[in-house]
Amino acid sequence: MKINLENLTIRQAHEDLKMGAYTAVELTQAYLDVIAKKNNEINAYLEVFEDALQQASQADEMIKSGNATLFTGIPFAVKDNILIKGRTASASSKMLSNYTATYDASVIAKLKECGVVFLGRTNMDEFAMGGSTENSAFGPTKNPHDISCVPGGSSGGSAAAVSMGGALAALGSDTGGSIRQPASLCGVVGLKPTYGSVSRHGLMAMGSSLDQIGPFGKTVEDVRAIFNVIKGADSMDSTSVPLHLRGKDEVIKTKMVIGVPEDFLTMEGIDADVLQNFRETLSKLEGKGHVIKKVTLPNLKYSLASYYIIMPAESSTNLARFDGVRYGLSIKGDTLFDDYAKTRGSGFGKEVRRRIMLGAYVLSAGYYDAYYNKATAVRALIQKDFNEAFSGVDVIATPTSPTPAFKIGEKANDPLAMYLADIFTVPINLAGVPAISVPSGFGERDGNKLPLGFQIIAPHFKEERLFSLGADIENL
Ligand code: GLN
């Protein structure tokens, strides 16, 4: 039987599986067929798991025995920096190309319990450092909407897998935009949850005070459902926030006050059609009864400067563990120091080495106060800006990315241009608040229609507001 994957959602697939319209094995096979057809060109997956159909047949057993959850038999793709026991986890780095995970990340354990089928692991910028997936040691991923363009990054493989119809949903990680920006560029929905709401246990650390795991899906409702299973406190992650400290459930207003940081939108580097699409979406929301209000977040303009100090500082510390002794690649030199230099020099790619050097520099004794301390002080101001802004609005909105998908190679040799692509996503990680990217239309480049995304930001633990307004955008 031919399964129509095009408009399939998790809820619909669940109903179909329960009714016996098709089996989990058939559903998984349908996705494997798409992958077989498209992955050579798109390179969304680094590996397709050989036992996917076996996992699906176990899911069928669960369904038959009446124990199906919403996720039983649902085919997922997983970013290559999230550990699945017994499987390779390379973070798209030569350093870890032969590394086998020894335990399940907490989010994976939860999804396994629900009977999810893991189709494979997806390509990414090496150690999640980048915004285009070009920094992978295993070749770039291509945007399914235009194969001459990047899918965004660093979770470009996960976004492309869902966008090309090669998975119903996917997991990614977001340190400065790595879920939302590729979601925007590939025309899918992506959520960066509140810092501390989803366990980071089993996620390879990049910037530990910024990293969060989150979902990709075709609809806001799918993303919401995934968030609801992966969230929760975890004794294995001391930064995961206990449930009683997450605030009470609130009644979600059907008409919201949407804050717009106008001065942040008039900066250079934002494409005119991106801005136009953003404003059109806002006015349609206004037409539906939402209220638009100007907000000022005066320190947001320092976000990139602050992020590109804090993130490399934390990354350089986290990546110190790759010493050729404990994990992954090991190259023998003449001395112990030579071992380190050879292993790290050939195991890490250029961007990773750049960030390790930046991080080591800003943390060094002579510069710690001037850079790292200053950046954390600025971060506190950015957090304060958000707190103040949220006292007068329910959510804040911006475009997700200042441009649609750019060409492969266009920014590869210009790290500063690449960093500017994170302008709207980075402040959210610094503040620790949640944000979602929802498709809001298309921009045209060289006769091709490229997806645009609308970012909604909420106060800590108020993800439900994102889902409610996000669903309104889907129905505009
Ligand atoms: N593009 C950003 C960076 O290069 C974001 C990365 C991420 O969120 N993992 O750091």
Side-chain angles (χ1 to χ4, degrees):
M1 121 176 241
K2 176 110 180 77
I3 307 173
N4 182 5
L5 299 181
E6 185 146 343
N7 295 315
L8 193 63
T9 62
I10 293 176
R11 165 86 35 209
Q12 186 60 50
H14 171 66
E15 298 299 334
D16 294 348
L17 288 167
K18 246 184 13 190
M19 271 174 36
Y22 44 79
T23 63
V25 166
E26 287 166 329
L27 182 63
T28 299
Q29 187 60 57
Y31 280 101
L32 292 174
D33 291 345
V34 175
I35 298 169
K37 208 166 119 208
K38 298 190 176 171
N39 196 56
N40 263 351
E41 182 163 69
I42 303 291
N43 198 26
Y45 284 93
L46 293 174
E47 180 188 350
V48 179
F49 298 143
E50 274 179 1
D51 65 345
L53 289 172
Q54 254 163 281
Q55 297 176 52
S57 108
Q58 280 170 11
D60 279 328
E61 291 302 316
M62 250 173 113
I63 296 166
K64 262 195 243 148
S65 61
N67 294 323
T69 71
L70 178 60
F71 288 95
T72 308
I74 301 297
F76 264 66
V78 179
K79 188 176 181 180
D80 198 29
N81 60 352
I82 301 174
L83 306 189
I84 308 180
K85 189 175 177 179
R87 301 194 192 271
T88 304
S90 80
S92 285
S93 180
K94 276 199 262 172
M95 188 62 95
L96 291 175
S97 53
N98 294 317
Y99 174 71
T100 303
T102 54
Y103 63 94
D104 280 329
S106 295
V107 292
I108 296 295
K110 285 186 175 194
L111 292 175
K112 272 189 179 171
E113 214 166 287
C114 296
V116 157
V117 173
F118 296 106
L119 293 171
R121 56 192 177 89
T122 56
N123 201 12
M124 55 185 282
D125 285 299
E126 184 178 4
F127 286 107
M129 296 179 183
S132 67
T133 314
E134 290 166 293
N135 294 337
S136 166
F138 309 114
T141 295
K142 294 176 180 160
N143 191 314
H145 289 265
D146 178 349
I147 56 163
S148 69
C149 290
V150 304
S154 63
S155 318
S158 286
V162 175
S163 172
M164 74 181 191
L168 189 42
L171 290 181
S173 66
D174 189 314
T175 303
S178 280
I179 293 173
R180 291 158 289 152
Q181 185 253 18
S184 171
L185 272 44
C186 288
V188 298
V189 181
L191 170 74
K192 197 292 280 185
T194 305
Y195 183 77
S197 62
V198 175
S199 171
R200 293 182 296 114
H201 177 60
L203 167 69
M204 291 186 204
M206 178 183 169
S208 305
S209 75
L210 304 155
D211 301 339
Q212 271 293 281
I213 292 174
F216 287 95
K218 286 193 290 193
T219 66
V220 172
E221 186 48 40
D222 279 0
V223 159
R224 176 174 184 258
I226 301 165
F227 172 65
N228 282 333
V229 286
I230 62 172
K231 72 179 184 188
D234 183 5
S235 60
M236 298 303 282
D237 173 4
S238 60
T239 61
S240 79
V241 176
L243 294 181
H244 68 279
L245 296 178
R246 297 185 181 198
K248 294 212 168 58
D249 286 350
E250 52 176 5
V251 181
I252 298 298
K253 294 187 206 161
T254 49
K255 312 281 178 240
M256 293 198 200
V257 182
I258 305 171
V260 179
E262 277 299 338
D263 40 356
F264 199 50
L265 297 175
T266 45
M267 296 185 349
E268 264 176 60
I270 306 169
D271 285 1
D273 56 349
V274 169
L275 212 49
Q276 191 190 341
N277 171 269
F278 175 70
R279 297 215 186 277
E280 278 168 15
T281 308
L282 277 180
S283 70
K284 285 186 200 157
L285 288 170
E286 208 171 12
K288 292 233 160 178
H290 298 288
V291 176
I292 313 298
K293 192 174 157 186
K294 195 175 147 189
V295 288
T296 37
L297 296 122
N299 296 294
L300 237 55
K301 54 178 178 289
Y302 304 121
S303 300
L304 279 177
S306 165
Y307 172 81
Y308 275 96
I309 290 174
I310 294 172
M311 173 275 301
E314 294 183 2
S315 302
S316 73
T317 314
N318 277 325
L319 268 53
R321 75 192 68 182
F322 300 107
D323 54 6
V325 179
R326 284 174 288 184
Y327 300 90
L329 187 74
S330 181
I331 300 178
K332 197 89 199 88
D334 295 335
T335 61
L336 180 63
F337 184 83
D338 201 29
D339 288 357
Y340 293 156
K342 286 211 164 74
T343 300
R344 290 168 67 83
S346 59
F348 289 136
K350 200 169 164 188
E351 181 63 23
V352 174
R353 278 180 280 139
R354 177 169 17 242
R355 295 191 191 199
I356 290 173
M357 283 192 280
L358 274 173
Y361 180 79
V362 300
L363 290 175
S364 60
Y367 295 98
Y368 191 94
D369 283 338
Y371 293 108
Y372 183 71
N373 267 350
K374 190 78 147 285
T376 53
V378 170
R379 179 181 194 172
L381 291 176
I382 292 166
Q383 286 164 341
K384 192 165 144 273
D385 279 359
F386 273 106
N387 287 342
E388 283 172 8
F390 280 127
S391 67
V393 298
D394 299 308
V395 294
I396 294 172
T398 69
T400 308
S401 159
T403 67
F406 43 91
K407 296 276 183 211
I408 294 174
E410 187 182 325
K411 301 185 191 203
N413 294 319
D414 187 351
L416 281 182
M418 190 75 92
Y419 297 170
L420 278 175
D422 304 331
I423 184 103
F424 293 124
T425 50
V426 150
I428 284 74
N429 300 72
L430 289 171
V433 291
I436 196 168
S437 178
V438 183
S440 58
F442 294 87
E444 209 176 293
R445 296 289 180 283
D446 303 333
N448 265 325
K449 282 171 84 187
L450 295 174
L452 303 174
F454 188 95
Q455 175 174 248
I456 319 168
I457 310 155
H460 292 94
F461 301 110
K462 301 296 184 210
E463 278 84 357
E464 280 300 325
R465 295 187 195 176
L466 306 179
F467 303 138
S468 171
L469 191 64
D472 282 355
I473 293 173
E474 287 178 323
N475 296 319
L476 283 177

